[in-house]
């Protein structure tokens, strides 16, 4: 699939465009890749190490903060409040999970 549409979030992989409730978001290349990876695996929990390997292409325990930083910036752009996230959910002690919850 080259498109995702759910919970007010619309992603076009070919054009690398993301819209939230019709508004175009400006994402970095890595933020887009991370979001696309999540939407391809809804409901699956990923550890930081798995995200580093899958999205960044490498793994190293010292780079966990890189994943956290990108997740935080992506959440801010998606309007995701950690306590009531609509898209990227923290699974404490494990990692992160994507779900598009209808608003």
């Amino acid at each position: 699939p080259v498109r995702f549409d759910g919970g007010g979030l619309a992603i076009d992989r070919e054009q690398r465009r993301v819209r939230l409730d019709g508004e175009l978001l400006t994402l970095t290349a890595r933020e887009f890749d991370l979001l696309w990876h999540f939407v391809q695996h809804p409901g699956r929990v990923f550890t930081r190490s798995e995200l580093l390997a899958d999205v960044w292409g490498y793994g190293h325990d010292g780079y966990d903060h890189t994943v956290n930083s990108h997740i935080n910036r992506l959440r801010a752009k998606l309007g995701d409040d950690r306590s009531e996230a609509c898209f990227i959910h923290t699974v404490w002690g494990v990692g992160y999970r994507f779900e598009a919850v209808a608003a």
Side-chain angles (χ1 to χ4, degrees), residues 40-58:
Q40 294 304 293
H41 309 279
R44 179 173 168 203
V45 178
F46 289 96
T47 66
R48 289 168 187 82
S49 296
E50 288 172 326
L51 291 171
L52 277 170
D54 296 346
V55 179
W56 278 259
Y58 60 86

Side-chain angles (χ1 to χ4, degrees), residues 24-89:
L24 187 64
L25 302 181
T26 303
L27 302 183
T28 66
R30 190 70 74 195
E31 290 166 350
F32 183 91
D33 292 343
L34 182 59
L35 181 59
W36 186 255
H37 184 70
F38 274 127
V39 303
Q40 294 304 293
H41 309 279
R44 179 173 168 203
V45 178
F46 289 96
T47 66
R48 289 168 187 82
S49 296
E50 288 172 326
L51 291 171
L52 277 170
D54 296 346
V55 179
W56 278 259
Y58 60 86
H60 185 281
D61 290 338
Y63 291 101
D64 282 359
H65 70 279
T66 298
V67 174
N68 294 350
S69 297
H70 280 79
I71 294 281
N72 289 338
R73 285 197 303 272
L74 189 53
R75 279 179 163 162
K77 291 177 181 184
L78 293 173
D80 253 3
D81 179 278
R82 286 185 197 185
S83 61
E84 295 184 30
C86 293
F87 302 107
I88 301 173
H89 302 264

